[in-house]
Amino acid sequence: MSSTIREADLGTKVTPLPARAAANTPVPLDHHITRNPGLKLDLGFLESVRSVNRSALERRVASLTKRRSIKADNQAAWLLRAIACMDLTTLNSNDTEERVRRLCAKAINPLRRDIIEGLGIVGETIRPAAVCVYHPFVATAVDAVRGTGIHVAAVSTAFPHGLAPLSTRLQEIEASVKDGADEIDVVIPRGLVFGAKWRELYNEIVSMRAACGDAHLKVILGTGDLATLRNVMLASMVAMMAGADFIKTSTGKESVNATLPVGLAMVRAIRAYFEETGYLIGFKPAGGISTAKVSLDWLVLMKEELGRPWLEPELFRFGASSLLTDIERQLEHHLTGHYSANHRHAMA
């Protein structure tokens, strides 16, 4: 353990592997998951994790997706888990309050009644963990999901590029929290990574964390813009040191969004941070995850690399818009042997 981290006495009890709440069960205040308080920026520790072997990561990803085959009832169960770990998202230029209300209605009732009955889960609560919207629609979403246990996440800080003045970005966070968002997805300026301006990046994220208050902070790295896995690893570690509750791959607006090798680099950064500090950090891949098959690949990655605790919505989320439709179609196929058209699965 590095000397800087050893000296950081934060006075908070750490529970490395806490008992997990059932998916979609509102997490009680005594859930024993210690929120990541962040650490002093430790450039020595950062230097120790800068070496990333791309070919090794790609071989590992290939082995995970080829040797794990999930079929029949097991596949249906894993797809229900994918729904429970989903941030159902609409981030379009033509979003309206009505569209957001329809998205929230789908989040509250994500599966058709006949599918629920066919799967034998009547009475169970299977819902996305959150809905994710632009700031102007936070209040609408909060009102629409009130009392359901579904979180409301707002994308902030000049999404998707993060190029507004810091004061403006912090004001946007504060406004979203005031409107009721309990999760804030912020985006970093990628230029700080290219310039290796780690202290400036760290200080910005610390300020964002402070602006969030009790709302959880998800830090979007924009991995498709970062050019190298080394940059991804270093940016991930700086974000966690600065107090991120989650690290997230992409805005969904880059030319390349969430990929499994990038995800593997990020979850190994999470594992290294956990081994160094004892704090559990969440992970959110986003962008391009639109099929049930791909969602299973990500779930397998999390199970194999980080273990069962990271298959709960407290520590893992998909950022997705069309994924829910394909999962619903796959579950209907599981029950009937036939695929239905997308329009039979209402979406916003």
Side-chain angles (χ1 to χ4, degrees):
M1 183 177 288
S2 67
S3 60
T4 302
I5 293 176
R6 274 200 301 269
E7 293 167 1
D9 181 8
L10 298 163
T12 306
K13 182 180 178 182
V14 177
T15 306
L17 292 175
R20 313 306 297 168
N24 298 111
T25 300
V27 181
L29 295 177
D30 60 347
H31 57 71
H32 304 304
I33 298 176
T34 304
R35 188 178 183 191
N36 174 34
L39 303 167
K40 295 178 182 178
L41 181 62
D42 187 341
L43 297 178
F45 183 42
L46 204 61
E47 181 67 23
S48 73
V49 299
R50 65 182 288 109
S51 297
V52 181
N53 188 328
R54 175 180 285 273
S55 61
L57 291 181
E58 291 173 345
R59 287 196 302 272
R60 172 62 170 160
V61 164
S63 71
L64 286 175
T65 56
K66 289 178 180 177
R67 67 187 175 88
R68 294 297 185 198
S69 181
I70 305 171
K71 303 293 184 183
D73 287 348
N74 288 328
Q75 183 181 94
W78 279 67
L79 291 178
L80 292 176
R81 171 61 43 177
I83 294 174
C85 292
M86 189 180 299
D87 281 4
L88 193 59
T89 302
T90 182
L91 297 173
N92 300 307
S93 60
N94 60 350
D95 282 344
T96 63
E97 289 187 358
E98 183 56 33
R99 179 170 185 158
V100 169
R101 280 191 285 266
R102 291 200 303 269
L103 184 83
C104 294
K106 183 64 175 179
I108 295 169
N109 294 290
L111 298 173
R112 290 202 326 257
R113 182 70 184 180
D114 59 309
I115 295 176
I116 292 173
E117 292 173 351
L119 292 173
I121 56 173
V122 175
E124 299 292 331
T125 303
I126 306 293
R127 289 173 177 159
V131 293
C132 185
V133 297
Y134 280 116
H135 166 71
F137 306 108
V138 167
T140 299
V142 168
D143 183 64
V145 302
R146 195 180 308 279
T148 66
I150 298 172
H151 298 284
V152 174
V155 294
S156 296
T157 61
F159 181 91
H161 302 301
L163 295 178
L166 179 61
S167 59
T168 301
R169 288 179 276 148
L170 297 179
Q171 289 170 5
E172 187 179 7
I173 293 173
E174 293 167 352
S176 292
V177 172
K178 183 177 180 180
D179 281 357
D182 55 359
E183 298 181 358
I184 303 294
D185 291 29
V186 304
V187 62
I188 65 170
R190 281 62 132 189
L192 297 182
V193 177
F194 292 133
K197 297 179 180 179
W198 304 123
R199 184 160 299 280
E200 186 175 346
L201 176 61
Y202 173 88
N203 289 340
E204 285 204 0
I205 298 173
V206 167
S207 298
M208 293 173 189
R209 165 66 186 269
C212 285
D214 291 334
H216 275 215
L217 173 66
K218 304 196 200 91
V219 177
I220 309 170
L221 304 183
T223 55
D225 292 339
L226 293 186
T228 68
L229 290 178
R230 174 178 293 176
N231 283 342
V232 170
M233 174 67 80
L234 295 175
S236 297
M237 197 61 69
V238 171
M240 290 185 286
M241 288 180 180
D245 297 294
F246 271 72
I247 52 175
K248 176 179 172 182
T249 61
S250 317
T251 64
K253 309 298 185 182
E254 296 96 346
S255 58
V256 177
N257 292 289
T259 67
L260 288 170
V262 161
L264 181 54
M266 292 176 70
V267 300
R268 288 192 171 174
I270 288 171
R271 189 167 68 191
Y273 188 82
F274 167 72
E275 290 170 350
E276 187 79 358
T277 68
Y279 292 106
L280 290 79
I281 308 299
F283 176 59
K284 180 178 175 180
I289 303 173
S290 59
T291 67
K293 181 181 183 302
V294 171
S295 74
L296 294 177
D297 290 340
W298 284 99
L299 289 171
V300 168
L301 173 68
M302 300 306 293
K303 177 66 166 63
E304 293 285 324
E305 287 290 320
L306 293 178
R308 180 62 182 82
W310 271 268
L311 292 182
E312 296 289 343
E314 297 162 58
L315 290 173
F316 180 63
R317 302 284 182 83
F318 293 106
S321 53
S322 58
L323 174 59
L324 181 55
T325 296
D326 193 59
I327 288 177
E328 197 173 11
R329 291 179 66 246
Q330 295 297 331
L331 291 173
E332 183 171 5
H333 179 268
H334 171 69
L335 294 172
T336 67
H338 301 286
Y339 286 110
S340 62
N342 283 0
H343 69 261
R344 296 191 65 240
H345 306 276
M347 196 58 190

